[in-house]
Amino acid sequence: MNTARGAAFSVGLTGGIGCGKSTVAELFAGLGATIVDTDAIAHSLTAPHGAAMPAILAEFGPDFATPDGALDRTRMRSLVFTDAGARGRLEAILHPRIRDATAAAAAIATGPYVIFAVPLLIESGTWAGRVSRVLAVDCSEDTQVARVMQRSGLSADQVRAIMATQVTRAQRLAAADDVIDNDDGLEALLPQVTRLHERYLSLSM
């Protein structure tokens, strides 16, 4: 397990698709933690006139932009899902910019500790060494599939194909210092979040 400590106490929050990372992050935010969401940063970078768009279009061509100048996420998702080389080229553009933006956001954090919400924290190979603790939100694979199907309209096969591109549940749990179970809904989440919040407060002092 990771025991690294930086200048300030930080937590890397991760979990597979449909596990409920955003809900957990919102609960921590409600208790006063500063949340730095790498997905939100990536969306900002690829929004209309986003900072990453010129490099993306130079690399992949104008067909990967929507009429308003944002990243055509559907087209890009289809490409990188089937082409590991393309995924690597996209990550080479986005990851340094995301890293700089997360560092800037953490530098102005006002909470007692920072939670970096990183969906692919384990997959990245670098994030775990940059945070004080890794927190995984966990639920059964069947729950993941059901949640994603309900919110996105994807088929079960499509959801499981996305899950197959992520580390396994066992790998994620093995890499985690702390785990929140999210199989039983919101009422079961808050007590777990509160306990960890109190622990993180004590560790951050």
Side-chain angles (χ1 to χ4, degrees), residues 1-6 128 131-133 177:
M1 297 298 178
N2 177 36
T3 57
R5 290 291 183 272
V131 294
S132 308
R133 293 184 75 79
D177 298 292

Side-chain angles (χ1 to χ4, degrees), residues 95-105:
H95 285 184
R97 291 169 171 83
I98 293 172
R99 190 178 304 118
D100 290 346
T102 55

Side-chain angles (χ1 to χ4, degrees), residues 1-2 14 122 133-137 171-179:
M1 297 298 178
N2 177 36
T14 193
I122 309 303
R133 293 184 75 79
V134 172
L135 168 60
V137 183
Q171 288 171 318
R172 191 178 296 108
L173 292 175
D177 298 292
D178 305 303
V179 177

Side-chain angles (χ1 to χ4, degrees), residues 94-116:
L94 288 177
H95 285 184
R97 291 169 171 83
I98 293 172
R99 190 178 304 118
D100 290 346
T102 55
I108 59 172
T110 57
Y113 60 92
V114 177
I115 289 183
F116 295 99

Side-chain angles (χ1 to χ4, degrees), residues 118-168:
V118 189
L120 300 181
L121 184 146
I122 309 303
E123 290 87 341
S124 74
T126 60
W127 261 106
R130 296 167 56 196
V131 294
S132 308
R133 293 184 75 79
V134 172
L135 168 60
V137 183
D138 182 56
C139 66
S140 71
E141 292 184 356
D142 287 344
T143 300
Q144 287 181 259
V145 172
R147 285 177 180 160
V148 178
M149 288 176 65
Q150 183 177 28
R151 79 185 185 199
S152 67
L154 297 175
S155 70
D157 286 346
Q158 288 173 313
V159 178
R160 290 191 181 278
I162 294 171
M163 290 167 61
T165 68
Q166 302 179 341
V167 297
T168 66

